[in-house]
Amino acid sequence: MKAKLLRFGVSLDGELLRKFDAFISAEGYDNRSQAIAGLIRKEFITDSFAHGGPVAGAVTIVYDHHRREVVNKLLDIQHDHGGIIISAQHVHLDHDNCLEIVAVKGPGAKVKALADALKSVKGVKHSTLSVTSAGK
Ligand code: NI
């Protein structure tokens, strides 16, 4: 069931509102209401992640294809965190580099522990964790 939309008034100083409208335009939001809702949700996700609450996300890793011990180590870590991994996609970026995208869903603390473990493997060139709503 779709939640009922409610209206409320917001007062901002003119300079802040001018910057907000520029932000809305740059980010491609249709209107202020949509932008405010997006910022509130983003803040809730950040807060949930910080407190170990449920999140979904993706860990993206780039590593040296020629170092086979890196591949094995990354696989071992993923097997140890199977409970929060939804899927993993491997992309052969070029002759030397592999890109791996690991989709995750679970408590923020466990997601972070997995991302940290993958990031710290010797031979991983770069790694990012992108966190979003778990859907609730
Ligand atoms: Ni590859």
Side-chain angles (χ1 to χ4, degrees):
M1 195 173 79
K2 198 164 162 54
K4 188 180 167 200
L5 287 177
L6 299 174
R7 296 181 68 90
F8 69 100
V10 177
S11 302
L12 293 176
D13 78 63
E15 177 62 13
L16 188 58
L17 185 57
R18 192 193 59 72
K19 285 181 179 172
F20 186 54
D21 284 341
F23 168 83
I24 288 170
S25 173
E27 292 288 313
Y29 285 115
D30 283 340
N31 53 58
R32 289 173 178 164
S33 292
Q34 196 186 50
I36 288 171
L39 291 175
I40 291 172
R41 284 196 197 97
K42 184 176 156 191
E43 201 57 36
F44 282 176
I45 291 163
T46 302
D47 186 64
S48 178
F49 179 62
H51 292 92
V55 293
V59 185
T60 307
I61 317 153
V62 175
Y63 61 92
D64 185 341
H65 159 77
H66 301 290
R67 294 183 57 174
R68 297 308 160 100
E69 78 280 5
V70 178
V71 183
N72 284 334
K73 186 78 184 140
L74 292 174
L75 284 175
D76 285 348
I77 291 170
Q78 289 183 57
H79 278 269
D80 289 343
H81 293 78
I84 58 166
I85 295 177
I86 303 164
S87 75
Q89 183 172 23
H90 183 102
V91 178
H92 311 302
L93 266 189
D94 56 34
H95 181 72
D96 301 315
N97 295 291
C98 293
L99 169 76
E100 196 134 328
I101 304 161
V102 182
V104 294
K105 184 178 176 185
K110 286 190 175 178
V111 167
K112 186 176 185 322
L114 168 63
D116 288 347
L118 293 171
K119 182 175 64 183
S120 66
V121 172
K122 236 177 153 181
V124 169
K125 294 180 177 180
H126 189 244
S127 174
T128 61
L129 168 61
S130 167
V131 170
T132 187
S133 166
K136 301 279 183 244

